[in-house]
Amino acid sequence: MKLLLTICFGILGFAVNTAFAAEYMDKTPFQLSRAFSPGVITQGGKTVWVAGQTATRDFEGKDIANNFEAQVKQVFGQIDKVLQDAGGSLDNVVQMTVFIKESRYGDRFVEMRKDFFKNGNYPGSALITVTNFARPGIEIEIQAVGVIGDSCSQDNRCSVRK
């Protein structure tokens, strides 16, 4: 019985933590088209600083070196896994810095990012082109910050404009 109560309270705690999200500030049409928010407001919550994620193999061990789209999917999966381990998910990402090797992938990345944030709550973001990465075959690296269990949300605005 004690184990059952612990599990139930753990699930309730998780539900409470994920019920609130940060407040994603209003976006202009340009910002919506590029899938980023001008700012994200948080107040409280658990901050998770996700180290830069890269991949040359997917979760099944398949080689995805030099495959931009496969790496984007894998890297977002890795970020989601880190945030899940902390009690959240990609929905808790409030900021990301994206490094890509070739600028020609910029627009494709933006379109793919929209698929990972279907609710339109895009993180604040920078998209930077780099000359190369530390390991051959890497096309993208993403650093992220997530806030889990925040008291700000679209329904409970913390911004001055309420």
Side-chain angles (χ1 to χ4, degrees), residues 7 9-10 21 39 41-42 50 59 66 74 84 91 96 98 109-110 113 116 119 121 124 148 150:
I7 291 170
F9 282 118
I41 300 171
T42 64
V50 182
F59 285 125
N66 302 306
Q74 178 64 29
Q84 284 180 21
D91 290 338
M96 63 176 28
V98 181
F109 173 77
V110 168
R113 177 169 50 192
F116 294 99
N119 60 8
N121 289 337
I148 301 166
D150 196 72

Side-chain angles (χ1 to χ4, degrees), residues 54-81:
T54 63
T56 55
R57 297 210 171 269
D58 66 14
F59 285 125
E60 287 78 42
K62 180 182 171 195
D63 183 3
I64 58 172
N66 302 306
N67 183 332
F68 180 77
E69 290 189 13
Q71 288 184 24
V72 169
K73 292 174 186 174
Q74 178 64 29
V75 166
F76 271 109
Q78 291 171 195
I79 293 168
D80 189 45
K81 172 92 173 73

Side-chain angles (χ1 to χ4, degrees), residues 40-54:
V40 181
I41 300 171
T42 64
Q43 182 173 299
K46 175 176 27 178
T47 304
V48 182
W49 302 86
V50 182
Q53 299 292 306
T54 63

Side-chain angles (χ1 to χ4, degrees), residues 69-145:
E69 290 189 13
Q71 288 184 24
V72 169
K73 292 174 186 174
Q74 178 64 29
V75 166
F76 271 109
Q78 291 171 195
I79 293 168
D80 189 45
K81 172 92 173 73
V82 170
L83 291 170
Q84 284 180 21
D85 289 349
S89 71
L90 279 177
D91 290 338
N92 299 107
V93 174
V94 298
Q95 194 280 332
M96 63 176 28
T97 305
V98 181
F99 304 93
I100 59 176
K101 195 162 75 173
E102 298 192 39
S103 60
R104 67 184 169 114
Y105 292 139
D107 290 339
R108 181 64 188 130
F109 173 77
V110 168
E111 290 307 309
M112 291 181 76
R113 177 169 50 192
K114 290 177 184 177
D115 291 337
F116 294 99
F117 300 99
K118 292 187 185 299
N119 60 8
N121 289 337
Y122 304 120
S125 183
L127 179 58
I128 302 163
T129 303
V130 298
T131 304
N132 219 334
F133 289 101
R135 291 189 346 251
I138 295 174
E139 299 292 326
I140 186 168
E141 180 171 352
I142 302 176
Q143 293 176 314
V145 178

